């Protein structure tokens, strides 16, 4: 999945489904999960700041992303909830990244405790069909959840 669209939409799908059972997944909280789903890819901003490349690479490791989420959650009133919502988005990001065929060997998912790189290797990094599949599934989830929520009102 070579784009942020897949990460953001996948996080939205998960939250939309969870919103049927849990009231915590309102629109504002879903946005935090969606932001969390692109936090690991903030390291790609080194394109604009090439001198910072080596410093920004830590953000794509789980420990670096969790530290970033912790720093961002400081700006919210309910810090714990914001951190947990960011973390849910981060987990969806890493799950989707692990589905990719990674030529570098995978993700250092257990770093700094283990240097083992992990990947399922199911989806090519240049495969846009998966993104289209996710978008189609999002439309289906939206229609079904909207129908269920409207049915609950009556």
């Amino acid at each position: 999945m070579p784009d942020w669209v897949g990460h953001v939409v996948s996080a939205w799908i998960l939250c939309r489904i969870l919103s049927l059972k849990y009231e915590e997944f309102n629109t504002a909280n879903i946005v935090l999960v969606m932001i969390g789903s692109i936090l690991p890819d903030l390291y790609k901003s080194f394109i604009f700041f090439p001198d910072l490349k080596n410093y920004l690479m830590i953000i794509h490791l789980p420990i670096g992303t969790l530290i970033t989420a912790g720093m961002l959650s400081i700006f919210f009133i309910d810090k714990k909830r914001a951190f947990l919502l960011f973390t849910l988005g981060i987990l969806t990001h890493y799950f989707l990244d692990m589905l990719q065929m990674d030529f570098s060997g995978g993700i250092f998912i257990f770093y700094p405790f283990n240097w083992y790189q992990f990947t399922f290797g199911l989806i090519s990094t240049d495969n846009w069909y998966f993104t289209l599949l996710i978008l189609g599934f999002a439309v289906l989830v939206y229609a079904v959840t909207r129908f269920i929520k409207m049915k609950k009102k009556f």
Side-chain angles (χ1 to χ4, degrees):
M1 183 162 345
D3 61 311
W4 290 352
V5 173
H7 290 299
V8 171
V9 172
S10 297
W12 179 85
I13 290 170
L14 176 65
C15 291
R16 184 75 180 191
I17 293 170
L18 290 174
S19 72
L20 294 173
K21 179 144 175 101
Y22 303 103
E23 292 179 11
E24 290 85 9
F25 290 98
N26 56 32
T27 305
N29 289 342
I30 290 175
V31 170
L32 291 180
V33 176
M34 291 166 59
I35 291 170
S37 72
I38 59 171
L39 275 180
D41 280 343
L42 282 180
Y43 81 97
K44 292 180 181 176
S45 63
F46 76 82
I47 294 170
F48 304 109
F49 309 105
D51 296 337
L52 299 177
K53 179 180 180 180
N54 293 331
Y55 301 105
L56 293 174
M57 293 303 283
I58 188 79
I59 295 175
H60 202 267
L61 297 171
I63 191 75
T65 312
L66 289 174
I67 290 169
T68 305
M71 291 188 308
L72 286 175
S73 65
I74 291 172
F75 297 107
F76 293 88
I77 294 171
D78 191 351
K79 294 167 184 50
K80 182 179 178 182
R81 177 173 284 178
F83 178 75
L84 292 175
L85 292 167
F86 283 138
T87 303
L88 181 61
I90 291 166
L91 291 174
T92 63
H93 181 100
Y94 284 120
F95 175 74
L96 292 174
D97 275 2
M98 284 192 293
L99 294 178
Q100 292 186 67
M101 291 179 210
D102 198 332
F103 299 109
S104 66
I107 299 172
F108 293 103
I109 200 74
F110 300 114
Y111 178 86
F113 305 109
N114 190 339
W115 284 89
Y116 178 72
Q117 291 179 291
F118 189 78
T119 183
F120 292 120
L122 300 175
I123 302 165
S124 175
T125 54
D126 61 350
N127 185 347
W128 289 92
Y129 297 121
F130 191 70
T131 303
L132 293 175
L133 179 70
I134 290 174
L135 287 171
F137 187 62
V139 171
L140 178 67
V141 166
Y142 176 76
V144 170
T145 55
R146 181 173 174 155
F147 175 76
I148 291 171
K149 287 182 178 186
M150 289 179 72
K151 192 174 175 182
K152 283 184 180 180
K153 287 183 180 179
F154 294 111

